[in-house]
């Protein structure tokens, strides 16, 4: 059973760890990466103890990053007078 349910907005982005983090009662941090969130993972684990939390977030918010590969627009012929 999860230690707690935490909204992604309540977590903090950690550049050094490249993860969203949240304080664990053991003194370390629960961690989850953007890549894990993109594949639908919702469990953030603490590397120092056995506790984990359930992260509440909108999957679509993280899938948007992978949609940057926009198909180039099709060129249309232009009539020149």
């Amino acid at each position: 059973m999860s230690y707690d349910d935490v909204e992604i907005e309540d977590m903090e982005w950690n550049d050094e760890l490249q993860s969203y983090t949240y304080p664990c009662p053991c003194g370390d941090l629960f961690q989850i990466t953007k890549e894990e969130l993109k594949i639908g993972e919702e469990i953030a684990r603490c590397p120092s103890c056995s506790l984990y939390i359930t992260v509440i977030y909108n999957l679509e918010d993280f899938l948007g990053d992978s949609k940057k590969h926009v198909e180039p627009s099709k060129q249309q012929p232009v009539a020149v007078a």
Side-chain angles (χ1 to χ4, degrees):
M1 188 165 146
S2 175
Y3 171 72
D4 201 0
D5 294 345
V6 178
E7 300 271 347
I8 191 76
E9 293 83 12
D10 294 330
M11 298 183 79
E12 186 175 306
W13 176 252
N14 184 311
D15 277 330
E16 184 179 322
L17 298 173
Q18 289 295 296
S19 299
Y20 285 95
T21 61
Y22 190 79
C24 180
C26 79
D28 204 344
L29 297 169
F30 294 107
Q31 302 173 23
I32 191 165
T33 66
K34 285 182 182 179
E35 289 73 27
E36 290 170 323
L37 293 167
K38 284 180 187 178
I39 61 170
E41 180 63 65
E42 58 183 26
I43 301 299
R45 301 183 188 283
C46 176
S48 297
C49 72
S50 62
L51 293 178
Y52 61 91
I53 57 173
T54 302
V55 180
I56 301 168
Y57 71 104
N58 185 347
L59 180 59
E60 287 79 31
D61 292 345
F62 292 90
L63 292 177
D65 291 347
S66 63
K67 293 182 181 177
K68 288 182 180 175
H69 302 99
V70 178
E71 189 175 311
S73 62
K74 306 247 189 269
Q75 293 184 345
Q76 298 293 323
V78 177
V80 179

